[in-house]
Amino acid sequence: MRITARFKTPATTFALLPALFLGAAGCSSGTDAPAAGKSPDPKGSAAAAPSAGASGASGAPAGSPAPKAKDARLEASAFQQGDLPGYQVSAQGKNPNAPDGQPQADRKACQPLADIMGDKPDPAAHETVNRGIGSQKQVGLAVSASVSSYDEADAKKVVSRLREAVAACGSGFTATIQKQTGTYRDVKAVPFKTSGDESVSWTTTASAQGVSAQVHLVVVRQGATVVRLMALNVAGAGQKAAVPQEVADKQLEKVRKAG
């Protein structure tokens, strides 16, 4: 499966959307939806991974299982193929060429927004499980879904700090990880309903190496668990992206069922 040519760029191009899109971009084309009467590949998008040069593409061999979380409840909270009709779920690891760790913002007030683009939503997270989701309904829509475990007090701080950062960083900021820098412009809070204890939602335009993409982020706290959802449309840089309501609802449902 291929994504739009303008996105066939080195893995570093979207280093600061990083690796969190996992295999989502690889299963985001509606043209590859299973034929009527056929079940989707139980391994998610593993059999339809994009070329290695595509941002967010998994570098793991096709069919590689996702590493199991130490926290069984967290593992049970993560999406599996079949949880979301009309979507492909990838449990593969991130592109090995993508940088590790947490991006560093050029403005202290914006650091929570940089952190959210890293390997985990916030440095205080105990453990994070990531999934890539590709829509078979909307061509090009790729979503990263992550669940992280925290002490509840720290989980509350994540959402509080993000709200403050969205309010303070509307004019944008830059973030750097392993000497790779990206820019985030037009940070805007947007409404988004969730069934969690509290949430924050915003959009931004991310740019690196001359390529831009609009991104929608939703972060939800359910007890001591933080859900992070990020969406972009790889069908074109000008395409708006939104986290599907059904994806957010199902993710919160799984978190609650896992306890």
Side-chain angles (χ1 to χ4, degrees), residues 111-153:
Q111 186 58 45
L113 301 181
D115 280 332
I116 211 72
M117 298 292 182
D119 289 344
K120 48 190 179 180
D122 178 272
H126 298 312
E127 190 172 9
T128 296
V129 176
N130 296 308
R131 293 289 188 264
I133 302 167
S135 175
Q136 296 171 326
K137 306 173 183 179
Q138 182 180 346
V139 176
L141 179 63
V143 181
S144 167
S146 305
V147 286
S148 301
S149 56
Y150 286 82
D151 293 333
E152 187 163 350

Side-chain angles (χ1 to χ4, degrees), residues 166-193:
V166 169
C169 301
S171 60
F173 64 99
T174 62
T176 302
I177 182 170
Q178 294 183 4
K179 299 182 179 180
Q180 299 167 22
T181 299
T183 300
Y184 297 96
R185 307 187 314 274
D186 302 323
V187 177
K188 298 177 181 177
V190 294
F192 192 91
K193 290 185 178 181

Side-chain angles (χ1 to χ4, degrees), residues 78-237:
F79 282 120
Q80 302 297 328
Q81 182 61 34
D83 283 342
L84 290 164
Y87 296 86
Q88 288 263 94
V89 176
S90 169
Q92 296 180 21
K94 69 181 186 181
N95 190 314
N97 296 319
D100 295 317
Q102 301 301 112
Q104 296 300 305
D106 63 335
R107 298 170 57 192
K108 184 177 180 179
C110 305
Q111 186 58 45
L113 301 181
D115 280 332
I116 211 72
M117 298 292 182
D119 289 344
K120 48 190 179 180
D122 178 272
H126 298 312
E127 190 172 9
T128 296
V129 176
N130 296 308
R131 293 289 188 264
I133 302 167
S135 175
Q136 296 171 326
K137 306 173 183 179
Q138 182 180 346
V139 176
L141 179 63
V143 181
S144 167
S146 305
V147 286
S148 301
S149 56
Y150 286 82
D151 293 333
E152 187 163 350
D154 288 331
K156 291 179 179 179
K157 289 177 183 177
V158 170
V159 177
S160 176
R161 289 169 179 163
L162 284 169
R163 284 201 190 103
E164 293 173 358
V166 169
C169 301
S171 60
F173 64 99
T174 62
T176 302
I177 182 170
Q178 294 183 4
K179 299 182 179 180
Q180 299 167 22
T181 299
T183 300
Y184 297 96
R185 307 187 314 274
D186 302 323
V187 177
K188 298 177 181 177
V190 294
F192 192 91
K193 290 185 178 181
T194 76
S195 58
D197 293 332
E198 56 180 337
S199 64
V200 57
S201 168
W202 70 100
T203 57
T204 184
T205 300
S207 303
Q209 298 185 8
V211 181
S212 297
Q214 294 186 42
V215 189
H216 178 215
L217 302 97
V218 178
V219 176
V220 189
R221 181 183 68 83
Q222 179 69 42
T225 300
V226 170
V227 169
R228 169 182 58 186
L229 300 167
M230 298 195 295
L232 88 164
N233 194 317
V234 298

Side-chain angles (χ1 to χ4, degrees), residues 68-79:
K68 293 293 184 181
K70 296 177 184 177
D71 185 335
R73 288 179 298 177
L74 203 64
E75 184 68 33
S77 297
F79 282 120

